[in-house]
Amino acid sequence: AVDQLDQEDVSSSTKLQIPRFHFSDGPVTQAVREGSLLFLKNFNMAPASAVENFNSLLDLDKELETTEYGPISCRDSFFFVASITSSKHITECGLSPALMSRVVIINVKPYTNQAYLTMMKAKRWS
């Protein structure tokens, strides 16, 4: 009876070790592997840990650190563009100084109501 209980414990513990989830590449890991363009909308809304992971992609030895695969080497052709939508100044958006010192920032002013009206009048509706 004791041997049977020990065998049941072993079989049930190995069942618990079977992975329940399978990691699949998402847009970021896919773009890093393929060396393609990645557009990240509202970049400042992502968790800080995810945003900080992009610092390693801006180093000379570009690689993406993942918990699933470890470091993934980044192809030279990889490029990312990130947008931020905020009424705050770029330095107040929660991005780290380390990341901000490694990117080119292009500040685009929002359209005024008059500019929207002008664009709508110029648009030819068919």
Side-chain angles (χ1 to χ4, degrees):
V2 172
D3 289 336
Q4 184 181 359
L5 288 175
D6 286 343
Q7 195 166 22
E8 286 176 10
D9 287 345
V10 170
S11 69
S12 63
S13 67
T14 55
K15 287 179 185 174
L16 292 174
Q17 294 174 3
I18 297 171
R20 295 181 184 169
F21 300 101
H22 174 72
F23 182 80
S24 297
D25 283 354
V28 176
T29 51
Q30 185 178 354
V32 168
R33 287 182 194 279
E34 295 174 358
S36 56
L37 172 67
L38 177 67
F39 176 67
L40 302 163
K41 186 176 180 182
N42 294 324
F43 191 55
N44 59 316
M45 302 301 283
S49 59
V51 171
E52 286 307 308
N53 219 6
F54 278 83
N55 278 334
S56 63
L57 293 171
L58 300 169
D59 289 339
L60 291 176
D61 296 324
K62 299 185 223 175
E63 58 181 24
L64 178 65
E65 189 64 42
T66 66
T67 55
E68 294 78 12
Y69 301 122
I72 300 173
S73 294
C74 183
R75 291 195 178 185
D76 288 338
S77 56
F78 172 76
F79 189 81
F80 79 91
V81 176
S83 72
I84 295 172
T85 305
S86 176
S87 58
K88 297 179 181 178
H89 188 270
I90 187 74
T91 57
E92 299 170 352
C93 286
L95 300 177
S96 74
L99 181 69
M100 302 247 317
S101 69
R102 296 175 173 170
V103 298
V104 174
I105 298 170
I106 302 170
N107 187 13
V108 179
K109 302 284 185 203
Y111 289 119
T112 63
N113 287 341
Q114 184 58 45
Y116 276 121
L117 289 172
T118 302
M119 287 187 289
M120 293 304 286
K121 288 177 184 176
K123 178 76 178 166
R124 298 184 196 275
W125 302 97
S126 49

